Amino acid sequence: MQNRKTRSATYGPWLVGLGAALWGTESAWRIPLNELFGAKVIVFWEHVFILIMFLPILISRLDEIPRVRTRTWGFLIFSGFAGSAVGTVFFTLALKYGNPTVVNVILNIQPVISTIGAFVLFGDRLARRFFLYAGIAIVAGVFVSVAYPTQIGVSFERAGLNVGTAYALTCALFWGLSTVAGRGVMVGMSLQLASSLRIVTGLGCMTLILLAYGKLKGAALWPEAAQAHPIKAIVLLFFLASISGGIPLLIYFKGLHLTRASTAGYFEMMQTLAAVCITWGFFHASLHAHQVIAAIVLIAAVAMVHHIQQQVEPD
């Protein structure tokens, strides 16, 4: 039994990292989808596609719902609202209106938010060197994201700290808090039910948002740009919902079940690394030497975060 717990504690955070890395591929689909749909509509269709994929899982777990406690429902609703729905909308808007490099830099504050939330809500203990390695991870994440480290200030100035930057900051806030709420969900229900109900909650939130904005109708849900390229729209939505949506969600929640939120937040920084690699591969923006070095430092730093946290977490 002890060996089983040790193995779980070892691979849990890396599952979080793998799920986050797959989430990092979403720019490959979300950026071209921005040319076909509005940001809110993209997130709505994303949830529809994922829910269709998850229906067999949800139906098989319906008998567990009566046993879910009120506190867990609260965490689930907030996680679906903040992380699955609203946070994703702000991320889509940030990619559309902001500098993608600046967006990646800003999202590195997400682990700090999740750490504070985990400490306040769950009383997570932090090792003495936790903030040392966490700080190294954040700095490395910044250098992975920035093409010219000697001109970071200039890059931000050129970006204008515009509405895209504000969207990215809001996204980081919602996603960071969603990580903590997701941990609360996993304590109170199974992986399969939690991941399915998060999508249901997110879709419910997006439906209400579209209704409030008057976009829950044919012309808004499938605009002329999508009508002109229907196959492209469907394929992009499918890839977004599967490779960058449903599959990483299952992997992420499995890892989160085995990982404290304070640690999970830093392994989620793998999303930054994956996003930069996608930018390189799909949009032909090559990595500079300092970015490759920073990527290695980032991986090493989050590994050290996990190592030192294991020493203070209970068995």
Side-chain angles (χ1 to χ4, degrees), residues 125-134 263 301-313:
R125 295 174 58 195
L126 301 179
R128 286 185 301 173
R129 291 175 293 167
F130 182 88
F131 287 105
L132 169 63
Y133 292 114
T263 304
V302 294
M304 287 305 301
V305 166
H306 174 47
H307 174 69
I308 63 175
Q309 278 301 107
Q310 278 188 306
Q311 298 175 10
V312 299
E313 292 176 2

Side-chain angles (χ1 to χ4, degrees), residues 29 127 169 222:
W29 332 114
L169 283 168
W222 205 261

Side-chain angles (χ1 to χ4, degrees), residues 24-209:
T25 66
E26 64 184 339
S27 296
W29 332 114
R30 205 175 292 278
I31 290 176
L33 279 170
N34 268 326
E35 300 174 359
L36 304 178
F37 300 95
K40 301 178 186 67
V41 176
I42 292 174
V43 180
F44 172 81
W45 283 120
E46 178 184 1
H47 281 77
V48 170
F49 274 66
I50 297 176
L51 182 58
I52 292 173
M53 298 175 191
F54 277 28
L55 271 180
I57 299 175
L58 176 60
I59 293 173
S60 68
R61 296 285 175 165
L62 289 177
D63 60 326
E64 299 178 17
I65 291 180
R67 299 194 295 272
V68 178
R69 297 181 177 180
T70 303
R71 177 181 173 86
T72 303
W73 280 115
F75 281 127
L76 176 68
I77 293 172
F78 184 82
S79 177
F81 169 79
S84 189
V86 178
T88 308
V89 169
F90 281 115
F91 177 65
T92 306
L93 289 169
L95 288 179
K96 184 174 183 177
Y97 295 108
N99 182 318
T101 298
V102 176
V103 170
N104 281 325
V105 172
I106 292 173
L107 289 181
N108 285 293
I109 71 170
Q110 178 185 335
V112 176
I113 297 170
S114 61
T115 298
I116 296 172
F119 175 76
V120 172
L121 291 179
F122 301 128
D124 281 12
R125 295 174 58 195
L126 301 179
R128 286 185 301 173
R129 291 175 293 167
F130 182 88
F131 287 105
L132 169 63
Y133 292 114
I136 293 174
I138 291 175
V139 172
V142 169
F143 280 93
V144 168
S145 302
V146 176
Y148 301 100
T150 58
Q151 298 180 347
I152 291 178
V154 175
S155 297
F156 271 89
E157 183 179 354
R158 288 177 180 174
L161 297 177
N162 57 15
V163 67
T165 305
Y167 286 142
L169 283 168
T170 307
C171 172
L173 174 63
F174 277 108
W175 277 357
L177 294 177
S178 177
T179 297
V180 182
R183 172 63 176 168
V185 173
M186 292 311 306
V187 172
M189 66 175 68
S190 67
L191 162 68
Q192 295 85 353
L193 183 62
S195 56
S196 301
L197 287 182
R198 171 166 168 159
I199 296 301
V200 172
T201 304
L203 179 57
C205 291
M206 290 312 306
T207 301
L208 292 175
I209 289 173

Side-chain angles (χ1 to χ4, degrees), residues 12-13 15-16 79 178-187 191 198 250-265 268:
L15 288 178
V16 172
S79 177
S178 177
T179 297
V180 182
R183 172 63 176 168
V185 173
M186 292 311 306
V187 172
L191 162 68
R198 171 166 168 159
L250 289 173
I251 296 173
Y252 169 81
F253 263 144
K254 178 62 176 178
L256 197 59
H257 180 65
L258 304 170
T259 310
R260 284 181 172 260
S262 55
T263 304
E268 288 179 6

Side-chain angles (χ1 to χ4, degrees), residues 257-276:
H257 180 65
L258 304 170
T259 310
R260 284 181 172 260
S262 55
T263 304
Y266 291 88
F267 278 79
E268 288 179 6
M269 293 177 71
M270 294 298 105
Q271 183 172 353
T272 297
L273 176 59
V276 171

Side-chain angles (χ1 to χ4, degrees), residues 213-269:
Y213 280 87
K215 294 182 177 294
L216 201 63
K217 52 187 178 182
L221 289 177
W222 205 261
E224 291 184 4
Q227 293 176 27
H229 305 281
I231 302 300
K232 176 182 178 181
I234 292 173
V235 170
L236 288 173
L237 285 169
F238 173 76
F239 284 143
L240 178 64
S242 56
I243 297 175
S244 307
I247 293 173
L249 181 62
L250 289 173
I251 296 173
Y252 169 81
F253 263 144
K254 178 62 176 178
L256 197 59
H257 180 65
L258 304 170
T259 310
R260 284 181 172 260
S262 55
T263 304
Y266 291 88
F267 278 79
E268 288 179 6
M269 293 177 71

